[in-house]
């Protein structure tokens, strides 16, 4: 009842305002025609005509929808509608004069001037309303409601879109103070009514001068390095800061105030948007039967989402984790209702189950993402690691060969390169088997090797966030430890790209960018949480865990490396093994697993993967991995050697005991 009453009042106000506009335009036309001295005879004509003109124009304007809509959102498209309505109304008035009133005594110039003035007044009142709503009214409202004053970094398209929405949406509790932009040509100019106050180097000064509560970074194409500089300046100024999701949202037209979010660590790492060859991947996956093992995991589930975008004939999800698989199936069913999805509970180590699944669904493309991945845990469970990562891969790969799948894509890891741990050694052994099988099968077997993914289950970022939420301390294994990182969507999109490029036997290496020092990552996360490292949240060093390296690699010596047509994917030369020897070694490994002979499992892994150097005292190769002088130096230029690490671990343990 209340909304209808408000609508009724508003309609009457608009009706009254239009009556004034129509009558004023008609009267002004007479005034100008007769030099502001209207003769008595023309006064009579005006009084005779004004009511018919009002009725005609109200009827025409109503028919064109000008009695509806919101003037605060008026645009050039609305001006064109007003022009068409006024043209039609003026023609209707002319027809009335000719056929009803009679042309005698009615100056033609009055009819022309009336049409012009009515159009100008109709547009003018709308733009004045918008100008008031977007300029003067927000200032009054900001003062009355104590709205946050925001500074927009970036006066480009994204920043201007945000300003337009902030000004036009009364529910947004923000008011814009201005822009900051490094483009010298933009500085000092006004965009959307707000001035570019200066460059980013003046950010702290401007925040203090303009009493800024929040900075919004509206540069979707900003690199991680650029974003880090802006964030550091905001932190130095002591103001809150948020950002836009990325350039994809700008392209899709989704840049709105609802998409503004806090800056996350993924933004600061500076991962560029992935370019994928949509047509090529569509030909690779479109209309195909696709099987994904490990489909409930972080990587496997994202592979399922990405595959579903390309319209497979059927998507088979294979995992032994019941509840996570249920949620992935549910999500895919809601997001892609037209794609048949089958969720299969099973274990890649159960050959009969795997072969039954292949026999039933006849997959054409297989993505093998099922694996045990946690390094310290696998050090204590070597038999299970070998059974799942090596034997499980062998069973899936063999099934793809027997049932004539077209393509098989194995997900591997940088930890398979010069492995110092069980997990890496088992993944390298699986790589060797898949490469060997590719030489004697019509199925195209390829391996995709990459590093850590941000946000995956058990990865460092969620762990650090939970430690910060608990008040600290953040536990870092070593002050010099570095890792490669990429986002889950980036990794999976490149997996699909690499899979579509494979001819069989390749190891594709994804461009991981620059390695990230974990200590720096921890410090950035603390700052992004609004706290100070070492003051609000402590960082402690716990020592490298069993099997961990200070740094990871993506390439083995002798593998060689070649570029591909994709700038973020390279290919390594395949390794050659004697098939009979490799098959016998893997069978012996399986028997050692069954017997739970841990020492035998480790020994066989060293035989299958000669570069595997487990963390054993006195192992010179292992020592060299940790202390390569030209790469592993701390800020003072002193090499942190294994002995230093052991000393620090002992000191930390002593402090805990004390």
């Amino acid at each position: 009842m209340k909304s209808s009453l408000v609508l009724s009042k508003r309609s009457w106000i608009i009706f009254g305002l239009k009556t004034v506009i129509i009558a004023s335009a008609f009267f002004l036309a007479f005034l100008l025609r007769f030099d502001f001295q209207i003769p008595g005879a023309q006064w009579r004509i005006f009084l005779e005509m004004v009511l018919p003109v009002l009725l005609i124009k109200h009827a025409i304007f109503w028919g064109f929808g000008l009695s509806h809509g919101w003037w605060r959102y008026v645009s050039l498209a609305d001006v064109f509608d007003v022009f068409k309505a006024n043209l039609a109304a003026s023609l209707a008035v002319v027809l009335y004069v000719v056929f009803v009133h009679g042309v005698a005594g009615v100056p033609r110039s009055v009819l022309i001037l009336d049409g012009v003035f009515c159009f100008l007044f109709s547009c003018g009142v709308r733009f004045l309303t918008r100008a008031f709503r977007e300029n003067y009214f927000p200032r009054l409202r900001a003062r009355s409601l104590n709205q946050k004053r925001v500074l927009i970094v970036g006066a480009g398209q994204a920043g201007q879109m945000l300003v337009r929405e902030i000004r036009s949406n009364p529910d947004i509790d923000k008011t814009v103070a201005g822009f900051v932009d490094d483009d010298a040509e933009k500085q000092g100019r006004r965009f959307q009514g707000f001035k570019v106050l200066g460059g980013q180097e003046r950010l702290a000064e401007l925040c203090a001068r303009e009493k800024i509560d929040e900075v919004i970074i509206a540069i979707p194409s900003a690199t991680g390095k650029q974003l880090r500089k802006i964030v550091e300046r905001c932190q130095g100024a002591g103001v809150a800061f948020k950002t836009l999701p990325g350039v994809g949202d700008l392209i899709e037209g989704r840049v709105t105030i609802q998409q503004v979010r806090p800056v996350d660590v993924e933004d600061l790492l500076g991962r560029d948007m992935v370019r994928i060859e949509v047509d090529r991947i569509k030909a690779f996956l479109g209309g195909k039967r696709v099987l994904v093992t490990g489909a409930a995991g972080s990587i496997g589930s994202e592979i399922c989402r990405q595959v579903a975008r390309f319209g497979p004939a059927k998507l088979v999800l294979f995992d032994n984790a019941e509840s996570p698989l249920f949620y992935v199936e549910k999500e895919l069913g809601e997001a892609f209702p037209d794609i048949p999805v089958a969720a299969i509970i099973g274990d890649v180590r159960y050959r009969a189950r795997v072969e039954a699944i292949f026999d039933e669904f006849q997959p054409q493309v297989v993505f093998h993402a099922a694996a045990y991945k946690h390094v310290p845990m696998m050090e204590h469970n070597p038999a299970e690691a070998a059974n799942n990562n090596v034997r499980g891969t062998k069973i899936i790969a063999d099934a793809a060969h027997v049932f004539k799948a077209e393509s098989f894509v194995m997900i591997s890891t940088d930890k398979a390169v010069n492995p110092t741990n069980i997990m890496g050694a088992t993944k390298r052994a699986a790589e060797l088997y898949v490469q060997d099988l590719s030489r004697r099968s019509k199925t195209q077997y390829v391996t995709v090797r990459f590093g850590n993914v941000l946000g995956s289950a058990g990865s460092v970022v969620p762990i650090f966030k939970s430690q910060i939420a608990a008040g600290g301390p953040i536990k870092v294994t070593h002050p010099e430890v570095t890792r490669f990182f990429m986002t889950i969507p980036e990794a999976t999109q490149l997996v699909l790209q690499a899979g579509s490029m494979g001819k069989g036997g390749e190891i594709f290496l994804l461009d991981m960018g620059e390695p990230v020092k974990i200590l720096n990552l921890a410090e950035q996360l603390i700052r992004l949480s609004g706290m100070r490292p070492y003051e609000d949240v402590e960082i402690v060093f716990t020592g490298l865990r069993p099997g961990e390296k200070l740094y990871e690699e993506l390439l083995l010596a002798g593998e060689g490396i070649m570029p591909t047509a994709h700038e973020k994917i390279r290919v390594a030369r395949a390794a050659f093994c004697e098939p009979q020897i490799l098959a016998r070694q893997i069978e012996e490994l399986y028997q050692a697993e069954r017997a739970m002979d841990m020492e035998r499992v480790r020994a066989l892994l060293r035989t299958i993967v000669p570069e595997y150097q487990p963390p054993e005292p006195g192992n010179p190769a292992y020592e060299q991995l940790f202390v390569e002088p030209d790469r592993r130096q701390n800020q003072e230029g002193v090499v942190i050697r294994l002995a230093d690490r052991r000393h620090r671990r002992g000191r930390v343990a002593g402090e805990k005991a004390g």
Side-chain angles (χ1 to χ4, degrees):
M1 178 67 72
K2 182 178 179 180
S3 61
S4 63
L5 182 61
V6 171
L7 182 61
S8 177
K9 286 181 179 178
R10 182 176 176 276
S11 299
W12 280 110
I13 291 171
I14 292 175
F15 179 81
L17 190 55
K18 285 188 176 181
T19 300
V20 173
I21 288 172
I22 295 168
S24 299
F26 195 53
F27 179 64
L28 185 59
F30 273 89
L31 279 178
L32 287 181
R33 169 64 180 79
F34 297 102
D35 296 327
F36 295 91
Q37 292 180 352
I38 303 174
Q42 293 300 324
W43 267 112
R44 287 193 298 272
I45 293 174
F46 169 76
L47 295 174
E48 290 172 1
M49 288 281 296
V50 68
L51 183 58
V53 168
L54 284 169
L55 293 175
I56 290 169
K57 291 198 174 186
H58 270 304
I60 297 293
F61 290 168
W62 183 86
F64 274 82
L66 298 190
S67 298
H68 312 291
W70 295 89
W71 292 359
R72 74 181 74 162
Y73 304 124
V74 67
S75 64
L76 290 177
D78 297 304
V79 171
F80 188 61
D81 290 338
V82 172
F83 173 77
K84 290 189 295 182
N86 273 278
L87 181 61
S90 295
L91 290 174
V93 170
V94 170
L95 292 175
Y96 171 79
V97 170
V98 172
F99 294 105
V100 179
H101 181 273
V103 296
V106 181
R108 286 173 294 180
S109 57
V110 167
L111 299 178
I112 295 172
L113 289 171
D114 170 60
V116 172
F117 291 144
C118 193
F119 169 70
L120 293 176
F121 291 169
S122 297
C123 292
V125 72
R126 284 168 166 79
F127 279 103
L128 285 173
T129 303
R130 175 173 173 175
F132 176 79
R133 297 277 316 181
E134 292 187 356
N135 293 280
Y136 186 66
F137 179 74
R139 293 188 180 96
L140 291 177
R141 189 169 182 271
R143 286 194 289 267
S144 63
L145 298 181
N146 195 25
Q147 288 182 313
K148 289 182 180 178
R149 287 177 58 78
V150 299
L151 193 62
I152 308 292
V153 178
Q157 182 181 354
Q160 293 182 42
M161 290 170 68
L162 285 177
V163 170
R164 280 198 295 269
E165 185 173 1
I166 290 172
R167 290 196 308 185
S168 61
N169 191 338
D171 295 326
I172 297 173
D173 64 339
K174 303 178 190 298
T175 182
V176 178
F179 291 101
V180 168
D181 201 295
D182 281 344
D183 188 344
E185 293 185 0
K186 291 180 180 177
Q187 292 178 13
R189 296 179 59 189
R190 288 185 176 272
F191 296 92
Q192 303 299 321
F194 293 98
K195 189 176 180 180
V196 179
L197 301 173
Q200 293 177 16
E201 74 282 354
R202 297 184 58 200
L203 192 60
E205 171 198 339
L206 293 172
C207 286
R209 191 186 79 188
E210 300 294 331
K211 296 181 173 56
I212 299 300
D213 300 303
E214 183 175 275
V215 171
I216 298 179
I217 305 168
I219 313 176
S221 59
T223 64
K225 184 177 181 180
Q226 292 170 332
L227 201 57
R228 283 195 296 272
K229 285 185 178 179
I230 299 172
V231 167
E232 288 170 3
R233 288 180 173 128
C234 291
Q235 290 169 338
V239 296
F241 50 90
K242 292 183 179 179
T243 187
L244 295 177
V247 71
D249 296 271
L250 179 61
I251 294 170
E252 297 295 330
R254 294 193 300 265
V255 177
T256 68
I257 198 69
Q258 282 74 29
Q259 270 70 53
V260 173
R261 57 166 175 75
V263 176
D264 208 343
V265 67
E266 287 88 346
D267 304 310
L268 303 183
L269 290 179
R271 303 301 302 176
D272 296 331
M273 191 172 66
V274 176
R275 175 188 66 84
I276 59 174
E277 298 174 290
V278 175
D279 293 339
R280 184 171 195 157
I281 299 176
K282 179 74 174 177
F284 177 52
L285 298 173
K288 302 284 185 69
R289 298 179 298 277
V290 181
L291 169 69
V292 181
T293 71
S298 303
I299 296 296
S301 61
E302 184 63 23
I303 288 177
C304 293
R305 296 182 192 101
Q306 299 289 347
V307 168
R309 293 171 49 204
F310 293 94
K314 194 173 192 68
L315 183 54
V316 183
L317 320 180
F318 185 32
D319 205 295
N320 63 358
E322 176 196 13
S323 294
L325 188 62
F326 167 79
Y327 290 115
V328 174
E329 180 194 26
K330 184 174 180 293
E331 176 192 339
L332 292 173
E334 293 173 353
F336 305 95
D338 298 331
I339 296 177
V341 176
I344 306 299
I345 297 292
D347 196 315
V348 294
R349 297 170 291 188
Y350 186 10
R351 184 182 297 276
R353 179 64 168 151
V354 169
E355 291 180 349
I357 292 168
F358 272 78
D359 185 48
E360 178 181 356
F361 295 104
Q362 295 291 316
Q364 295 164 280
V365 180
V366 178
F367 290 95
H368 179 46
Y372 286 148
K373 66 173 186 176
H374 293 289
V375 170
M377 188 173 291
M378 292 306 102
E379 287 301 297
H380 300 296
N381 298 274
E384 288 302 312
N387 196 15
N388 192 70
N389 293 356
V390 182
R391 183 167 173 270
T393 298
K394 180 180 185 300
I395 289 172
I396 292 289
D398 288 344
H401 167 68
V402 171
F403 291 92
K404 298 180 172 57
E406 297 173 9
S407 301
F408 181 97
V409 182
M410 173 188 165
I411 309 301
S412 191
T413 171
D414 56 359
K415 294 171 179 62
V417 182
N418 291 323
T420 59
N421 51 66
I422 289 291
M423 194 280 279
T426 56
K427 293 296 285 185
R428 178 57 182 160
E431 286 183 359
L432 292 171
Y433 184 80
V434 167
Q435 285 186 307
D436 175 67
L437 188 57
S438 70
R439 288 191 286 271
R440 47 193 171 85
S441 175
K442 293 184 178 180
T443 300
Q444 294 178 347
Y445 290 88
V446 300
T447 299
V448 182
R449 189 187 285 168
F450 55 88
N452 300 274
V453 287
L454 289 166
S456 64
S459 66
V460 66
V461 172
I463 291 174
F464 282 174
K465 286 182 177 179
S466 66
Q467 290 173 348
I468 292 171
I474 283 187
K475 298 178 181 179
V476 177
T477 56
H478 193 284
E480 293 299 310
V481 68
T482 64
R483 292 292 182 265
F484 292 104
F485 284 101
M486 64 184 356
T487 64
I488 294 176
E490 179 187 8
T492 53
Q493 287 170 15
L494 289 175
V495 164
L496 301 192
Q497 178 70 47
S500 70
M501 297 164 59
K503 302 300 181 184
E506 303 100 331
I507 292 182
F508 288 106
L509 314 176
L510 304 189
D511 178 12
M512 300 296 298
E514 294 297 319
V516 176
K517 185 179 282 191
I518 300 300
L519 177 59
N520 293 346
L521 185 66
E523 292 171 346
Q524 288 286 4
L525 280 169
I526 293 172
R527 293 189 185 101
L528 290 176
S529 301
M531 292 178 276
R532 294 164 297 180
Y534 310 106
E535 296 181 29
D536 301 320
V537 177
E538 190 61 41
I539 298 176
V540 299
F541 301 105
T542 60
L544 291 173
R545 297 174 298 180
E548 285 189 322
K549 291 193 279 185
L550 277 176
Y551 62 92
E552 302 290 359
E553 305 161 277
L554 288 171
L555 193 67
L556 282 166
E559 279 187 321
I561 186 168
M562 293 176 290
T564 68
H566 195 283
E567 68 276 6
K568 285 199 169 187
I569 301 176
R570 297 171 294 168
V571 63
R573 186 185 305 117
F576 290 93
C577 300
E578 187 62 40
Q580 293 81 6
I581 295 176
L582 182 61
R584 174 175 53 78
Q585 290 172 336
I586 289 179
E587 179 59 30
E588 290 177 1
L589 182 64
Y590 173 49
Q591 297 303 327
E593 295 160 12
R594 292 185 63 187
M596 299 301 290
D597 188 343
M598 306 304 176
E599 291 306 315
R600 179 65 173 158
V601 167
R602 290 189 173 93
L604 283 167
L605 283 174
R606 283 196 291 270
T607 302
I608 298 170
V609 184
E611 64 272 19
Y612 169 38
Q613 299 292 339
E616 295 176 346
N619 186 334
Y622 178 71
E623 297 267 350
Q624 184 180 2
L625 285 172
F626 279 89
V627 296
E628 189 177 289
D630 61 338
R631 291 179 60 186
R632 311 300 342 144
Q633 294 190 346
N634 64 10
Q635 293 177 350
E636 292 77 29
V638 180
V639 178
I640 297 182
R641 297 184 177 274
L642 186 62
D644 299 328
R645 178 177 62 81
R646 287 173 180 157
H647 172 72
R648 187 177 288 106
R649 181 186 292 175
R651 178 170 51 80
V652 172
E655 290 173 356
K656 290 181 178 178

